[in-house]
Amino acid sequence: MTRTDFRVGIASLARQGSRREHRRGQIAGLAVSGSRVRPGSEIDVNVLLEPVTHGVMVSGRVDAQWEGECRRCLGQATGALHAEVRELYEEHSSGDETYPLAGDELDLEPLARDAVLLELPQAPLCREECRGLCPTCGADLNEVRCECPPAGGDPRWAALDSLRQTDSHGS
């Protein structure tokens, strides 16, 4: 699907009053440092268009499927995002605070892109209770019971740990 999947004609909107619109299509390049929209996945935009003075108020929801690498175990993390939107499209938009109207048409793609990018997880988890990796042997603690002895602490603190032990014996 192409970018035009998200364009909506609004010529009759002032006469009709508010109107629901549903658009579905692909948007390339939706990624943040920890996750991205699955390649080939479609973005679902379901909004209400309401005419206002010199523009159109667009409110509704943007949905997408995402994937990434779990921040704890480095396994596959996936999920669905649901972003609530309420944005103004104006004839003379600066592009900073409102979205532009192009004649009798508005484009929902920039709104969908912004909503998805703001909702994608920066540090995804495969599941909330993910146990991560053993810091000693690297075993996935979700899959195996690690037999490594408890870590002796951070070696950078060893000098301070020895002072603590000396102080507890000396007092």
Side-chain angles (χ1 to χ4, degrees):
M1 294 190 171
T2 64
R3 178 178 163 88
T4 57
D5 294 323
F6 293 100
R7 293 191 183 273
V8 178
I10 57 166
S12 63
L13 190 61
R15 290 187 312 274
Q16 290 177 321
S18 61
R19 178 176 88 214
R20 282 228 157 271
E21 285 292 333
H22 182 234
R23 293 289 190 271
R24 193 174 175 91
Q26 296 177 9
I27 301 175
L30 295 177
V32 294
S33 61
S35 60
R36 66 184 180 158
V37 169
R38 293 177 180 174
S41 180
E42 291 189 331
I43 309 303
D44 191 51
V45 179
N46 194 352
V47 293
L48 177 67
L49 307 178
E50 300 173 273
V52 296
T53 306
H54 303 295
V56 176
M57 180 62 69
V58 177
S59 55
R61 196 162 117 164
V62 177
D63 300 309
Q65 298 295 314
W66 61 266
E67 66 183 9
E69 186 176 81
C70 178
R71 71 176 185 227
R72 292 182 188 157
C73 71
L74 306 179
Q76 181 73 16
T78 60
L81 67 81
H82 311 286
E84 295 295 324
V85 294
R86 183 167 174 80
E87 299 293 340
L88 179 62
Y89 281 75
E90 290 184 308
E91 294 173 8
H92 304 290
S93 171
S94 66
D96 293 334
E97 295 182 21
T98 62
Y99 291 93
L101 283 177
D104 290 337
E105 186 173 81
L106 62 82
D107 188 357
L108 294 171
E109 185 195 1
L111 174 134
R113 174 180 296 282
D114 291 347
V116 169
L117 289 174
L118 288 171
E119 290 294 320
L120 280 171
Q122 296 286 329
L125 290 173
C126 61
R127 59 185 177 270
E128 195 62 38
E129 65 279 357
C130 177
R131 297 182 63 212
L133 301 175
C134 171
T136 304
C137 69
D140 185 345
L141 299 175
N142 298 304
E143 297 178 8
V144 298
R145 183 175 179 104
C146 180
E147 299 299 326
C148 293
D154 189 331
R156 296 172 291 181
W157 294 98
L160 292 175
D161 287 339
S162 68
L163 290 174
R164 185 178 315 148
Q165 290 170 357
T166 303
D167 188 43
S168 68
H169 295 301
S171 308

